[in-house]
């Protein structure tokens, strides 16, 4: 992470999904949005993110208020997850063969070992 990226109004901005960006930018002022637009354009240049930032900037220019709060207080960056599955193979559905002509009565061996 560059020094400039560390000073962005939203921590881990480059790694956030669009929905997280959408919620966190509501608390930003106009100059902070412009800073994010410039950063995004110079780095990842994600079109949906740029459109979202520009739309919010336009809302502020038309008189919308910021939502308050601290966008840096809670980053929704995905945490590391455990590997593996808690599902047991015993809970899996049993094998099932295809229906012959789409009818159970024509497939007598279906679901039998």
């Amino acid at each position: 992470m560059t020094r400039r990226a560390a000073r962005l109004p939203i921590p881990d901005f480059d790694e956030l999904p669009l929905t997280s960006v959408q919620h966190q930018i509501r608390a930003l002022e106009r100059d902070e949005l412009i800073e994010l637009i410039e950063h995004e354009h110079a780095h990842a240049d994600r079109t949906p993110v740029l459109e979202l930032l520009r739309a919010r900037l336009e809302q502020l220019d038309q008189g919308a208020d910021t939502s308050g709060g601290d966008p840096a207080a809670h980053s929704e960056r995905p945490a590391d997850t455990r590997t593996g599955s808690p599902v047991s193979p015993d809970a899996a559905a049993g094998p099932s063969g295809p229906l012959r002509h789409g009818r159970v009565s024509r497939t007598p061996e279906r679901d039998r070992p």
Side-chain angles (χ1 to χ4, degrees):
M1 177 184 320
T2 65
R3 250 189 281 172
R4 180 168 181 190
R7 292 187 309 229
L8 289 174
I10 299 175
D12 300 320
F13 175 75
D14 293 326
E15 300 171 18
L16 292 177
L18 184 64
T19 54
S20 296
V21 172
Q22 180 179 14
H23 295 294
Q24 292 187 16
I25 63 171
R26 293 179 186 156
L28 299 179
E29 298 291 336
R30 187 176 198 288
D31 58 332
E32 293 172 313
L33 282 169
I34 292 171
E35 181 181 357
L36 287 178
I37 289 170
E38 290 171 355
H39 174 81
E40 183 65 25
H41 186 62
H43 293 88
D45 205 23
R46 299 173 287 181
T47 301
V49 173
L50 286 169
E51 289 175 353
L52 183 68
L53 293 170
R54 289 176 181 138
R56 180 61 182 155
L57 184 62
E58 185 176 330
Q59 290 171 354
L60 289 176
D61 288 345
Q62 293 177 359
D65 293 326
T66 59
S67 67
D70 181 10
H74 176 68
S75 174
E76 294 184 24
R77 180 180 176 196
D80 294 332
T81 58
R82 299 184 327 196
T83 58
S85 173
V87 178
S88 165
D90 298 331
S96 62
L99 294 174
R100 185 177 295 156
H101 301 289
R103 300 183 67 187
V104 174
S105 63
R106 296 207 173 196
T107 315
E109 297 86 27
R110 184 168 194 244
D111 295 335
R112 295 186 187 160

